[in-house]
Each structure stands twice: as C-alpha cells, then as structure tokens.
Amino acid sequence: MADRHAVLLMAYGTPETADQVEPYFTHIRGGRAPTPESVARLRERYRRVGGRTRLLDITRQVASALQDDLSRAGSERPVYVGMKHWHPFIGDVVREISDSGVQQLTAIALAPHYSRISIGGYRRAIEEAQRDLPTPLCVALVERWHAEPSFLDMMATLVQEGLSRFPASERGQVMTVFSAHSLPERIRSWDDPYERELLESSAQVAGRVGLSEWRFAWQSAGETGESWIGPDIVDYLDTLHAEGVRSVLQVPIGFVSEHLEIYWDIDIEAKEKAADLGMRLERTELPNARPDFVRVLAAVVRASESRPCS
C-alpha cells in the first residue's frame, strides 16, 4: 500500500479572547512572562481591531480549499492546520496526523520568505513533536516559496488592484511601499537571507506591474531591547512626505493573511499617521483564501514532491 501523504499549513497563531492574550504573549516570548504593561498594550490593540483576528478562520478556509484543489488534480491528501504560538499547536496537530496513519507530510509555513528566526521556529516545533512519536513522520518542510512564479503573479495582481483605487490621473504619483515583519538586526551578521529574499520578490513584483519606482519599509518590530531592522513603515511616512509624496500604496508582501500586524500596524497606525500628514494611504488586499493563492500553494505542494524528507 502506498504511503499515506498529508499537508500541514502552519501559521503564527492568534488569541481568540482577551483572557488568552497573556498566555499567548508568554508563549511568543519562549515562556518568559511579559510585563503587565506590555500585556495591557497588546490587549488594547486586540480590542481596537474587534477583540480577535480572523487568522485561524482564514487559514482553515485555505486548507479546505487547498485540499479540494489537490483532490480535483488527482492528489487525494488531507490538509491540516497548525499554529506556532496558539491553538491548535503544531505539535498537537503533528501527533494527530501521525495517529491518523499518515506517513509522509509536506509542511508549509504560510510565510514566503526564509529566516532562521521565523521559519526556524516552525522547524523546531515539528522536530519537538517528532521526538514524541513512536515512528517519526517523513517530513518535507518547505522553507521558502517567495520565488514561486504564481506567487509573484498573484502579488502583482494585488498591486494592480490596489493602484486602481486611486484616480487614473493620480496613479503616476502613487508611491508603492512593500513591507514585511521586521526582525532583529543581528540576523544580518548571520548572512540570513530574509532581507535579500524580500527585496528580490518585491523587485520581481514591481517589474511585473511596471513600477518605475518603489520603496521598502518594515513593520511589527518587537519590544526586546535590541535594534530591529528599519525604517518602520509609520516613521517612513515622514520621509515620504518630506519628498513630496502624497499618495501611498502599502504592500505587505511578507504576509499572506489578515491578522493583528495588518489591522494594527497598517489599518490603524499607518493610516492615522498618513491622515495627520495629509497623505492618502491604501493597502493591497491580503491573499487570504483567494483562489489564486490556493493555486500558489498547490504549486508549492507539487514542487515539494521530490524534496527529501527528514
């Protein structure tokens, strides 16, 4: 009998209630308790965006659509969802997958670009779960997919859709600013490819759209007491304003789903700052569960078929 094969989609995780914010935050910090002030700030941000985000709901929609897409293409395999920092935890889902009789697993982090910090965390979660299994799964972890042509095509479509919100007469003056989650500056000393991959995929998308000029900024820097890569998108609006830019299309290319870093960093903080400066800021839609994004993931799954497992 052929080995049973499954797919695991992994995302960051999100609390569902205000009471869950503190343990969620503690998990992100590796078990170190955050200060009451930090917890209060995070709870307030969730309150401002409606109490919770749709990250888990969207990821489950993507998983269901991907399973259907693979099935229509003749590849029958269940698609599971696991979260790095909240329920359903990756470790629990890996054990569930093993108990179901699956032997081979394609694991994909819903983050297109590789960093030892971000993608490494997903790898560790899988490895820790594997140690508790009577028979470890054969896991092919997809660590990066930022260069997948269908991903770049989809992002170009999202940029074009975003630009269409501006009057045709003004589109030539819109500055497109790509962004991603910042990481500590120390990754540069590791020759970590994260920053390079982000700039590469941004340039590819800009080329597809035909942008004559574009910029890159960062968002969501952590409160760790160390330097994080910048400039931050909110602060960068001052620089753009000083250059005479009055219209901005913000493209969160490092993210594929709506969650707090989108709602708070862009929809609230950046838009409020832009309004204060007399600027108009729009952002592109997120891939979420769009059919073209599901097709991207299906292409990534197919490309991983020959990937050696561990």
Side-chain angles (χ1 to χ4, degrees):
M1 182 175 67
D3 292 344
R4 289 197 59 199
H5 201 143
V7 176
L8 172 62
L9 299 183
M10 302 178 292
Y12 197 78
T14 182
E16 298 292 318
T17 66
D19 290 343
Q20 293 175 355
V21 170
E22 184 170 3
Y24 164 74
F25 201 177
T26 301
H27 194 276
I28 290 172
R29 291 167 52 85
R32 295 176 291 109
T35 65
E37 294 78 15
S38 294
V39 173
R41 281 196 298 273
L42 188 56
R43 280 200 182 116
E44 174 61 14
R45 291 181 181 183
Y46 276 103
R47 187 194 68 78
R48 289 279 304 273
V49 304
R52 65 185 292 274
T53 73
R54 300 192 304 127
L55 176 62
L56 180 57
D57 303 334
I58 291 169
T59 309
R60 284 175 167 158
Q61 291 170 16
V62 172
S64 177
L66 176 60
Q67 183 169 312
D68 290 344
D69 187 283
L70 294 171
S71 178
R72 286 193 298 271
S75 180
E76 297 284 349
R77 60 192 62 190
V79 180
Y80 295 82
V81 167
M83 298 284 153
K84 182 160 61 171
H85 293 299
W86 201 242
H87 303 281
F89 284 110
I90 290 168
D92 295 334
V93 177
V94 168
R95 285 185 285 275
E96 176 188 348
I97 292 170
S98 175
D99 290 344
S100 75
V102 165
Q103 295 165 300
Q104 295 190 54
L105 179 66
T106 298
I108 305 171
L110 294 179
H113 308 85
Y114 177 85
S115 170
R116 195 172 95 191
I117 289 179
S118 58
I119 305 302
Y122 292 104
R123 176 179 288 281
R124 286 191 297 276
I126 291 174
E127 289 174 346
E128 288 170 4
Q130 288 270 69
R131 286 196 289 268
D132 295 333
L133 300 180
T135 302
L137 298 168
C138 177
V139 179
L141 173 63
V142 180
E143 293 187 327
R144 51 168 61 75
W145 41 276
H146 69 288
E148 165 59 42
S150 58
F151 168 69
L152 299 171
D153 291 342
M154 177 196 66
M155 290 305 305
T157 298
L158 291 172
V159 171
Q160 290 165 336
E161 291 173 356
L163 288 170
S164 71
R165 297 181 199 154
F166 297 88
S169 60
E170 297 178 13
R171 287 174 201 161
Q173 286 73 52
V174 176
M175 180 59 72
T176 300
V177 181
F178 295 88
S179 72
H181 200 302
S182 180
L183 289 177
E185 284 188 357
R186 56 189 158 90
I187 71 167
R188 289 172 167 168
S189 67
W190 309 339
D191 192 29
D192 192 283
Y194 182 64
E195 192 170 3
R196 181 171 64 253
E197 289 182 1
L198 282 161
L199 293 175
E200 287 171 354
S201 55
S202 297
Q204 287 286 329
V205 172
R208 280 165 163 76
V209 177
L211 300 178
S212 59
E213 187 178 7
W214 56 275
R215 306 290 178 85
F216 196 95
W218 301 86
Q219 59 181 95
S220 316
E223 301 174 358
T224 61
E226 61 182 320
S227 296
W228 286 57
I229 301 172
D232 180 82
I233 180 62
V234 177
D235 299 332
Y236 194 53
L237 291 173
D238 286 315
T239 300
L240 294 175
H241 184 268
E243 293 177 6
V245 172
R246 295 297 179 267
S247 299
V248 174
L249 177 65
Q250 214 276 315
V251 185
I253 195 169
F255 302 93
V256 297
S257 179
E258 293 175 4
H259 59 302
L260 186 66
E261 282 78 7
I262 301 299
Y263 297 146
W264 178 259
D265 296 350
I266 301 173
D267 294 352
I268 293 180
E269 282 197 311
K271 286 196 172 185
E272 288 180 353
K273 177 64 174 288
D276 289 344
L277 293 170
M279 303 170 72
R280 176 180 176 181
L281 184 146
E282 298 285 345
R283 71 159 168 86
T284 55
E285 295 297 318
L286 274 293
N288 288 335
R290 289 172 57 111
D292 49 359
F293 180 50
V294 174
R295 290 193 291 271
V296 170
L297 293 175
V300 172
V301 170
R302 286 192 293 271
S304 73
E305 295 292 335
S306 60
R307 187 185 303 270
C309 58
S310 58

